[in-house]
Amino acid sequence: MTVADLSRSEMDRPDLPARGVLGASAPRKEDHRLLRGDGAFTDDVQPARAAQMAVARCPYPHARIVSIDTSRAERLPGVLHILTGADIRETTGPLTVLRPVPGAPELPYRALADGVATHEGQPVVSVVATSRHIAEDALDLLDIEYEPLPHVVDTMEALGPGAPVLQPAVLDSNLLAAQTDRRGDPEARLREADVVVGARFRINRVTALPMEPRAVVAQWRPGARMLTVHASTQVPHLVRKQLAETLGLDESEIRTVAGDVGGGFGLKLGVFPEDVLACVHAMALRLPVKWVEDRGEHFRGSTHARESVHDYTIGADAEGRIVAMMDRYVTDLGGWNSPFGSAQLSSVVFNGPYKVHDGLVERRVALTNKTPIGAYRGYGQPEVNFAYERLMDMLARELGADPVELRARNMVTQAELPWENPAGAVYDSGDYERCLRMAAEAVGWSRHRDAPRTLREDGRIVGIGFSSFVERTGYASSRFLARRGSRFGAHESVTLRANRSGGVDAYTGVSSMGQSSETAFAQVISHVTGIAYDAVRVHGGDTAASPLNTGAFASRTMIAASGALKAAGEEFAAKTRRIAAYALGCAPEEVRIEGREARADGRTVPLAEVFTRALTGQGIPPEEEPGLECTAHFEPMDAAYSFGTAAAVVSVDPVTGEFDVERFVLAHDGGTLVNPAVVEGQIRGALAQGFGAALGEELRYDPGTGQLVNGSMMDYFVPTAADVPPVELLHTEVPSPVTPFGVRGVGEAGTIPPAAAVANAVCDALSAWGVELFTLPITPESIWRAMRAATGQEAP
Amino acid sequence: MTAVHDSPGSLDQDAEPTAVVTVSVNGAEVTGRVPVRMHAADFLRQRLGLTGTHVGCEQGVCGMCTVIVDGEAVKSCLMLACQLDGRAVRTVESLAEGDRLGPLQEAFAARGALQCGFCTPGLLMTATALAYQGGRPDREAVREEIAGVLCRCTGYEPIVTAIEEYFAGLPETGEEEENART
């Protein structure tokens, strides 16, 4: 049964009795405005007299800025204001990092390059003019003299001898930090193991590519000392904090508003240089200043993701029981430390769903002259999954074992959970093997396993590959984050306020970027209070109209917010019942809230009347305070681990390497589902991004010039409607014991298994040749080359 | 810091060469003076306030800015505002009747065919233009037809289903009847 089948019958019933709305595919609150073109994206904010900003960027991967002459640009009619690195050094502090690399020196950088730029696309000068055309014309009139410096773009070369050191003031190499998590003696276990498999896996550099680019509109009222910043961000409260730090303002002097956000996927986490620049210009000019990123800037000036090199080794005994897992990997940070920096979760879940006592994971962070790496959906989990799941198939081949049975034998069992992995992560609950068996059965594995891998009529060979995973969702408490040096909390918050129309206004700092938080929050509120789903309105993303929160990332929103929604909802409902009881002349315990009224013993009072009594203080119990507004915060104490197994059926042409993913089955557990249709949407969307990164997307740099060679949508191919393979979803629902309502995060799971499952299927199809894939993306060319290598032929 | 102008003065773009265009937008005739290098998407968004048409790449790849010009789906970032002179434009704002969503919009909502909603207007206008051609494209044809509009959220499957259902609900066209007879 697919996720959608579970609750389709309950759709289109927004008026249904409130209990039951949790777990139903309630119609999305966000849809109506977005379908009518009435969303409020940042570029839709058009203040009168707004000036427009454009940014000159370093064309070299590494260069000293010798001189900047702005005089010709200044003379262009319509140009209003120009900033250089010297101006920014005088007026602002460095951009702050939300997630510093533990144990590493800070790499302070400013909104405009301060003497030296370390990647192509780093902002160097910003210009504000009366129109975007004029601002961009002015960029052509800037005379900037650069002295190119030696550069390095390859991750491993950057750590090698002879590489230019990018931050010589604070580092003597490009190794920013190394962190090791270990348990037991994995080196000894590997020496004793009957079978050892290991390889170097290269993960491609990709980018999240939200359809809405970044954008910011800054407005300053000096007399009020109020800076209003509209920005396309996943974290408005954290942007406010960072802007205050960088601009030297009090947080009270900044209001950040994220309206509709056209996709985030981790990229829109925190302050970017252009956000600071727009604010500085606006404060100098006393005019609204707008900047909307163009796509060329997006490819160079936003963040990239994933690029890493994993040296992974697994040892097992002759029966196929894993005795040690060891991953030493390097993540590429790029030219400086973005607010979130490079992925960390490869370490947390490095062993996947497999039970192993002795293990080691070492993370090294390398600086290169490329666009900074930031967070992206999955944040290390797809990368490490490719390595350990490829090795599980290689181990099966070494042992002559069935790859499904080998996985099943090594998975942490339901009885063993909760279980702590060698990196200290505590897996909470689940039935990992069940998802594996479901996926294997769905693709007819047992028949395929014993059949010869022979040519089909169309000249192709069919292979089946699997990928099993666990996914860390949410953060395990602010204390956990503090130990990692993170400068944000783990909580979410909500304010519920009654209105005289008989409805509830819910205020949250969570902005709406497609994750359906308005819908899901209203469902939980309706579930907890009994108030009709239709009577709940969620207002999100405005720091001036929401309690302080953390933000929408790390698959954490529902995990943390559901606790706050539950607590606030219960308090809200209790007071509603007390006032309704007073109106009805009965005891509060007798009152039930149903839809838009409160009822007791056959009599009813409309919520509009109850709430009006509450808000005016007229007609409420004498001991009751007027008003009806409840705020709650909630911090989860543990992370919840989603899990699942994907199976890919792939046909491969052994002559050309061309291939098609003919079926892709994902059996997944997301705990209690608040809204099954939304969950299905999250999984399908993440899978599409997973396929994109596995099968086509790759940002390439030319090693000689250090230039990004495919930084446009013409050259960087994300999946279109004609490209996404057919997906079948299977589903289990094991509630997490560590979260409110048993929810798990569901936003990122789909990004994890596609690469490994497809690669394993290709290698299964071509097993007669002994083909193994170690590099992403998987392309006909890479398969063809692997075939040539396996058969001892040279390839050009 | 370089203060180029003490007073910004008029922010009208006096220095820009301009032209007058007359265009029918969602059934209403509009006449206005525009900079000759303003593209059609900016004209719709900034001059007419029709911000449902989005801009995603400004090079005709992503399809966010797709509108209908004289019955055909067009990427309005690749067109100048001047080129709209004398033509009829239809944007996403025309699809609902009052507060009531049109059938294509209803199908999108029912099938979960949107998440962040940034690509949605482009997809809706592409499918609307496709309907002008008559016929009943199958799923594969729908996939090919909408491949010029990118979506990073949904994985496309629900979009294809929604468009398919929308076509299934359209009255049979004369052309189709003609085809059915022959």
Side-chain angles (χ1 to χ4, degrees), chain A residues 185-202:
Chain A
D185 191 348
E187 293 89 346
R189 297 290 90 73
L190 282 177
R191 282 193 299 275
E192 301 155 6
D194 295 315
V195 185
V196 174
V197 289
R200 169 166 287 188
F201 297 91
R202 291 183 182 273

Side-chain angles (χ1 to χ4, degrees), chain A residues 224-504:
Chain A
R225 288 199 67 77
M226 180 51 66
L227 181 68
T228 301
V229 181
H230 290 261
S232 180
T233 181
Q234 299 170 229
V235 286
H237 279 281
L238 292 177
V239 165
R240 179 181 187 232
K241 160 195 137 69
Q242 286 184 281
L243 285 176
E245 291 164 347
T246 302
L247 296 169
L249 297 177
D250 282 352
E251 287 192 26
S252 65
E253 294 167 341
I254 302 175
R255 172 187 174 202
T256 309
V257 185
D260 286 302
V261 176
F265 316 121
L267 183 140
K268 294 173 179 173
L269 272 182
V271 159
F272 283 80
E274 297 85 355
D275 303 321
V276 173
L277 296 172
C279 291
V280 175
H281 283 297
M283 293 174 77
L285 285 168
R286 301 185 178 190
L287 280 175
V289 172
K290 175 187 271 194
W291 174 77
V292 179
E293 183 181 56
D294 78 26
R295 202 50 83 167
E297 293 180 292
H298 184 78
F299 274 102
R300 292 163 182 81
S302 283
T303 48
H304 296 168
R306 300 243 195 281
E307 184 171 25
S308 52
V309 179
H310 291 255
D311 289 321
Y312 207 123
T313 309
I314 297 178
D317 67 18
E319 281 74 51
R321 271 184 293 269
I322 295 172
V323 297
M325 297 175 86
M326 204 151 83
D327 183 21
R328 298 183 190 276
Y329 69 100
V330 181
T331 64
D332 190 319
L333 190 70
W336 41 258
N337 207 73
S338 73
F340 253 68
S342 60
Q344 300 196 20
L345 295 183
S346 290
S347 293
V348 175
V349 294
F350 81 99
N351 59 307
Y354 304 116
K355 182 176 50 188
V356 62
H357 181 269
D358 299 74
L360 176 151
V361 57
E362 178 196 67
R363 172 181 187 256
R364 292 193 294 157
V365 181
L367 287 159
T368 58
N369 290 115
K370 291 180 290 191
T371 292
I373 292 279
Y376 177 36
R377 206 172 191 175
Y379 200 50
Q381 299 177 102
E383 296 93 309
V384 74
N385 177 263
F386 179 68
Y388 67 74
E389 282 298 89
R390 284 291 300 114
L391 286 179
M392 288 302 283
D393 269 30
M394 291 169 64
L395 181 61
R397 269 190 277 283
E398 284 284 318
L399 290 162
D402 178 333
V404 170
E405 297 306 323
L406 179 72
R407 285 179 170 81
R409 187 175 313 155
N410 284 289
M411 280 176 164
V412 182
T413 65
Q414 199 162 16
E416 288 161 342
L417 291 165
W419 178 81
E420 184 172 350
N421 82 353
V426 180
Y427 298 179
D428 59 298
S429 66
D431 189 345
Y432 304 163
E433 184 180 343
R434 185 168 166 224
C435 282
L436 170 68
R437 299 285 180 197
M438 286 166 71
E441 190 184 335
V443 295
W445 168 249
S446 55
R447 281 191 311 281
H448 174 84
R449 178 189 55 208
D450 304 324
R453 307 288 184 263
T454 48
L455 286 181
R456 217 166 48 179
E457 278 181 11
D458 62 358
R460 290 189 168 208
I461 305 174
V462 173
I464 293 180
F466 295 90
S467 169
S468 299
F469 62 93
V470 293
E471 181 207 1
R472 207 283 301 278
T473 71
Y475 290 118
S477 82
S478 55
R479 281 180 298 284
F480 163 83
L481 287 168
R483 280 199 299 275
R484 299 250 163 187
S486 298
R487 297 191 177 124
F488 51 86
H491 74 278
E492 274 303 315
S493 59
V494 70
T495 294
L496 304 184
R497 182 188 295 163
N499 62 53
R500 293 173 186 81
S501 307
V504 182

Side-chain angles (χ1 to χ4, degrees), chain A residues 44 79 87 137 208 295 719, chain B residues 1 5 37 45 56 152-153 156:
Chain A
D44 301 339
V79 169
D87 302 320
D137 289 347
R295 202 50 83 167
Chain B
M1 198 174 297
H5 294 265
R37 61 176 170 171
R45 291 179 49 78
R152 200 61 161 158
C153 292
Y156 300 106

Side-chain angles (χ1 to χ4, degrees), chain A residues 100-174:
Chain A
V101 179
E106 301 261 331
L107 297 178
Y109 63 93
R110 291 171 193 269
L112 292 173
D114 191 8
V116 174
T118 56
H119 69 93
E120 182 204 356
Q122 184 169 351
V124 176
V125 177
S126 63
V127 177
V128 166
T130 52
S131 77
R132 186 174 151 199
H133 289 144
I134 295 171
E136 293 192 1
D137 289 347
L139 299 185
D140 291 338
L141 299 175
L142 294 169
D143 295 300
I144 307 172
E145 189 186 341
Y146 294 98
E147 176 196 345
L149 299 172
H151 65 267
V152 59
V153 293
D154 182 83
T155 311
M156 300 310 287
E157 277 177 27
L159 296 181
V165 176
L166 307 190
Q167 299 285 346
V170 286
L171 293 170
D172 50 19
S173 77
N174 294 316

